[in-house]
Amino acid sequence: VNTADLFATDRPVMVNFIFTTCTAICPMMTSIFQQVQMRLGEEAEKILMVSISIDPEQDSPDALAEYAEAFRAGPQWRFLTGSLEDSVAVQKAFEAYRGDKMNHAPMTLLRADAAGDWVRLEGFASADELESEARSML
């Protein structure tokens, strides 16, 4: 899946950056996305949720599929990996690149539609906050 094509949607989009071997912030951020998905119920399918790996050398499609399954990700929630160059380019495009996966910081990016601006939430956005943002975009 080409990231640009994926984001060329008029659906609201929520994005975070994770890696599957992370033991600190990534499981927390993924759990928050899972809570938002559960809270939205059937409306979750109206929102594109995207978790982008910042460690593509470890995060094969199979590794991400297992990770997604562990967090009971629905069909609207995509987990992306690719080449290291692509991963760095996407991180830089979102001003999320920190030079090393161990330095990455929690953040969530949201956009209401293809014409909308990205909203950047630094740190850990709560499930309440993200659910509220998601509902306001629907």
Side-chain angles (χ1 to χ4, degrees):
V1 173
N2 180 314
T3 308
D5 292 344
L6 186 65
F7 290 154
T9 178
D10 276 329
R11 289 166 62 191
V13 181
M14 292 174 44
V15 177
N16 66 13
F17 293 91
I18 56 100
F19 62 103
T20 61
T21 57
C22 174
T23 58
I25 66 175
C26 304
M28 269 181 76
M29 290 192 308
T30 307
S31 178
I32 290 167
F33 265 35
Q34 177 191 35
Q35 291 171 48
V36 171
Q37 171 186 262
M38 288 173 46
R39 290 172 182 212
L40 290 174
E42 289 184 11
E43 287 192 295
E45 67 193 39
K46 297 177 185 173
I47 294 183
L48 175 61
M49 301 170 72
V50 182
S51 292
I52 300 171
S53 170
I54 62 168
D55 186 15
E57 292 158 327
Q58 297 296 315
D59 291 343
S60 66
D62 287 345
L64 283 174
E66 282 181 32
Y67 192 78
E69 189 175 315
F71 284 94
R72 297 187 288 285
Q76 83 292 343
W77 188 355
R78 304 290 185 82
F79 288 77
L80 304 181
T81 191
S83 70
L84 184 57
E85 295 77 24
D86 289 344
S87 176
V88 168
V90 171
Q91 291 173 69
K92 285 182 175 179
F94 283 109
E95 297 177 8
Y97 185 66
R98 300 290 178 264
D100 180 296
K101 69 183 180 187
M102 301 312 288
N103 293 329
H104 89 286
M107 80 174 65
T108 306
L109 297 128
L110 305 120
R111 188 188 71 193
D113 56 47
D117 291 327
W118 287 98
V119 174
R120 179 187 191 95
L121 303 176
E122 297 279 355
F124 289 106
S126 71
D128 286 342
E129 193 177 358
L130 289 182
E131 178 191 7
S132 175
E133 289 282 344
R135 290 190 185 283
S136 74
M137 293 188 301
L138 290 174

